[in-house]
Amino acid sequence: MLYEMRTYRLKTGAVPAYVKLVADEGIALQKSHLGNLVGYFTSEIGPLNEIVHIWAYASLDDRAARRARLNADPAWQVFLPKIQALIETMENKILLPTAFSPLG
């Protein structure tokens, strides 16, 4: 199992609009293709206007196949520009759990 942590820095004040778009339109699409959502977060202390979401995959190949299916979905292609307009920067990390991690 591996985890993908995606961090988006949004334009100042854009968090409520982003969260509403994802809740109303995006998360169902993402879950239908990506599968195992570990968590979806907003920042409160430290760098502000950030969204962090974490997804679990069986392998890098599993991740690549799932993301390809999401990106090919016509509904996702319509939705994506709506949130891209609110994002300033994006960071992506692949995290591998240690042997003693509870999320192993």
Side-chain angles (χ1 to χ4, degrees):
M1 184 71 57
L2 63 86
Y3 298 88
E4 176 181 33
M5 182 173 74
R6 301 177 75 87
T7 304
Y8 302 159
R9 173 72 58 91
L10 304 183
K11 295 177 180 176
T12 300
V15 169
Y18 179 97
V19 169
K20 181 169 178 23
L21 280 167
V22 172
D24 292 349
E25 302 176 41
I27 199 65
L29 286 167
Q30 287 178 290
K31 286 170 124 180
S32 71
H33 293 289
L34 301 181
N36 191 6
L37 174 63
V38 176
Y40 216 107
F41 309 92
T42 61
S43 60
E44 220 20 68
I45 296 174
L48 300 177
N49 301 302
E50 282 191 348
I51 298 289
V52 177
H53 44 116
I54 302 171
W55 299 86
Y57 300 100
S59 65
L60 285 173
D61 289 339
D62 177 44
R63 176 192 172 272
R66 289 176 177 274
R67 292 206 58 84
R69 285 193 299 270
L70 175 65
N71 289 329
D73 186 324
W76 180 252
Q77 293 170 12
V78 169
F79 170 75
L80 193 55
K82 296 175 186 180
I83 59 170
Q84 285 176 328
L86 303 174
I87 297 171
E88 287 195 346
T89 64
M90 300 168 59
E91 180 181 352
N92 192 40
K93 291 182 182 178
I94 299 297
L95 306 171
L96 302 174
T98 61
F100 52 83
S101 174
L103 291 177

